[in-house]
Amino acid sequence: MSENTQDRGHSAEGTHRRIVVTQHGGPEVLQPLAEVLPEPGPGEVRVKVQVAGISGYDLMDRRYSFPGGPSVPYTPGQDIVGVVEKLGEGVSAVEPGQQVAAFTFGDAGGYAEFVCRPAEELVPVPAGLDPAEAVCVVVNYLTAHMVLHGTAKMRSGERVLVHGAAGGTGSALLELGRLAGLEMYGTASEYNHELVSALGATPIDYRTEDFVERIRNATAGGADAVLDPIGGARHVWRSYRALRKGGRYVGYGMVATAKGGRRAIPLSLLMLVLLKLIPGGKQASMSAEIASFEQMHPGWYRETLAELLDLLAEGKINPVVAERIPLLEAARAHELMERGGYAGKVVLVTKSYRVSPDVGT
Ligand SMILES: NC(=O)c1ccc[n+]([C@@H]2O[C@H](COP(=O)([O-])OP(=O)(O)OC[C@H]3O[C@@H](n4cnc5c(N)ncnc54)[C@H](OP(=O)(O)O)[C@@H]3O)[C@@H](O)[C@H]2O)c1
């Protein structure tokens, strides 16, 4: 069924819309497609999506084909919040009408009005939350939790440099870093410095300042850890130099591919190999991704996501939502992320998006 058979505002009965990457390329390759509603198989649940998150990975996968990445045509989107609509055979852990959050474990598919997912991926959302804030917790705060506690093993009082500190994962790192009692520094464009300070870190303008010198001066010798979503051989090298003896560099993303292309990845990995050869006790590694971390630590995903949603319900974390953009304008949302000039996480909202009246009361 093509988009032309639909009116623009509503899906016909028994159908829904999803966004498809038709071929690798710019934001214009994100196209809406109308089709019949997916049916949940055994052990699956059909979820009416309220909000789908956009992550830096969605942009990388849209631009380039990577080994192990999705093949076109596919629907992007790794994190959703929505309402349970229909149960597949054998599902009893959730009930229709219940609000849930989910990570899609490498299958993507979140940019849609309805998705069918395995019941074990669905984590109940506490009542009264804004689904746009709740969806930030899924990829961004889970990643931040994994990087901070699982990989870098940060301890209270340690000094950390967070790159991309006003971005989706960067702002989550600052929020969890503050709860963990860290002394924090964050690189960001000048327009984001107020936010970085409000999140408890000392801002450094990576465009005009030498972050190595700033960190060495501020910490009398170097940071205990650098947490880096940017990558790129030179940037990794400079981040390593910002560490004290015994400090650790943890990379977890490749924003550098936006300017440097796909080759930024092997060049960054080569730099990490070279850094391991340098004596002096500093460590440099890439963090796992959420799916592989869950494989190494079964149960971590559900337990940590539930914990993070509770922190949100208690008001102990306040995710930064950059913009709520209608699902069918996914291309505009990707354009915004490529242009920059925003802070926090850009999310896509469907017609089912509602903020409960008691939010913020
Ligand atoms: N390992 C995992 O499981 C995992 C999970 C999620 C995301 N990631 C990866 O993490 C990366 C970031 O994702 P995201 O969703 O947080 O992206 P995002 O919200 O777009 O944030 C990226 C930030 O990078 C900043 N930036 C760009 N160039 C920079 C530089 N040279 N130095 C310092 N900051 C710079 C921008 O800040 P300004 O606007 O202030 O300039 C922007 O806020 C992506 O590569 C993504 O694939 C990994």
Side-chain angles (χ1 to χ4, degrees):
M1 193 180 303
S2 82
E3 169 66 6
N4 297 337
T5 61
Q6 303 290 310
D7 89 60
R8 291 194 63 77
H10 298 276
S11 300
E13 179 112 8
T15 69
H16 83 131
R17 263 87 60 96
R18 64 185 171 96
I19 301 294
V20 176
V21 172
T22 50
Q23 57 185 305
H24 293 290
E28 71 286 352
V29 302
L30 294 161
Q31 293 289 329
L33 171 84
E35 63 177 15
V36 292
L37 281 180
E39 281 302 313
E44 286 187 343
V45 173
R46 185 161 76 205
V47 177
K48 187 192 273 192
V49 177
Q50 295 174 301
V51 192
I54 304 184
S55 113
Y57 268 127
D58 300 351
L59 274 69
M60 279 170 51
D61 284 336
R62 193 209 69 225
R63 278 187 215 113
Y64 307 113
S65 148
F66 291 105
S71 333
V72 291
Y74 73 94
T75 293
Q78 305 184 82
D79 44 2
I80 56 148
V81 167
V83 176
V84 171
E85 208 243 350
K86 186 173 182 184
L87 306 182
E89 197 189 313
V91 175
S92 57
V94 289
E95 291 171 9
Q98 199 174 0
Q99 195 179 40
V100 289
F103 174 65
T104 61
F105 281 89
D107 293 342
Y111 296 11
E113 290 175 327
F114 288 86
V115 290
C116 290
R117 298 302 310 166
E120 65 266 18
E121 282 176 8
L122 308 179
V123 175
V125 174
L129 295 181
D130 176 350
E133 292 188 1
V135 86
C136 294
V137 169
V138 184
V139 165
N140 291 1
Y141 284 70
L142 273 178
T143 301
H145 193 284
M146 170 184 75
V147 167
L148 209 59
H149 300 297
T151 316
K153 303 202 186 309
M154 300 300 303
R155 292 177 295 271
S156 177
E158 284 196 308
R159 294 178 287 203
V160 65
L161 171 62
V162 173
H163 284 305
T169 46
S171 55
L173 275 164
L174 294 191
E175 283 228 290
L176 297 185
R178 175 148 69 180
L179 290 178
L182 304 181
E183 180 180 320
M184 303 185 295
Y185 301 83
T187 55
S189 295
E190 211 259 325
Y191 53 77
N192 277 327
H193 282 199
E194 214 174 295
L195 172 70
V196 172
S197 300
L199 292 171
T202 302
I204 300 174
D205 188 345
Y206 66 88
R207 294 175 191 268
T208 59
E209 296 181 79
D210 179 350
F211 70 79
V212 181
E213 197 181 299
R214 277 286 310 271
I215 287 294
R216 282 181 171 173
N217 290 340
T219 59
D224 297 295
V226 177
L227 310 179
D228 181 28
I230 311 298
R234 181 163 179 272
H235 178 81
V236 173
W237 165 240
R238 294 182 66 228
S239 298
Y240 184 87
R241 289 184 51 228
L243 290 170
R244 68 161 169 82
K245 201 171 175 188
R248 54 245 190 242
Y249 166 92
V250 176
Y252 67 93
M254 286 287 164
V255 169
T257 54
K259 284 201 184 127
R262 263 184 299 199
R263 72 195 190 112
I265 299 175
L267 291 176
S268 308
L269 297 177
L270 178 63
M271 177 56 74
L272 288 179
V273 171
L274 295 175
L275 293 178
K276 285 185 201 304
L277 303 177
I278 300 177
K282 298 185 193 180
Q283 298 162 31
S285 62
M286 285 302 287
S287 176
E289 296 182 358
I290 295 173
S292 47
F293 196 75
E294 168 67 12
Q295 269 179 357
M296 291 184 272
H297 306 277
W300 168 85
Y301 160 75
R302 289 191 64 87
E303 191 185 320
T304 311
L305 183 50
E307 234 173 68
L308 291 167
L309 287 166
D310 283 346
L311 286 179
L312 178 61
E314 290 160 16
K316 291 185 177 156
I317 54 174
N318 296 285
V320 181
V321 180
E323 252 195 73
R324 294 160 177 81
I325 294 181
L327 173 70
L328 298 187
E329 296 174 36
R332 178 164 76 81
H334 275 221
E335 269 163 27
L336 166 69
M337 287 185 67
E338 294 196 334
R339 210 172 40 244
Y342 65 94
K345 184 163 174 106
V346 180
V347 303
L348 296 172
V349 295
T350 68
K351 293 188 301 295
S352 314
Y353 172 65
R354 304 263 180 292
V355 180
S356 148
D358 32 287
V359 168
T361 57

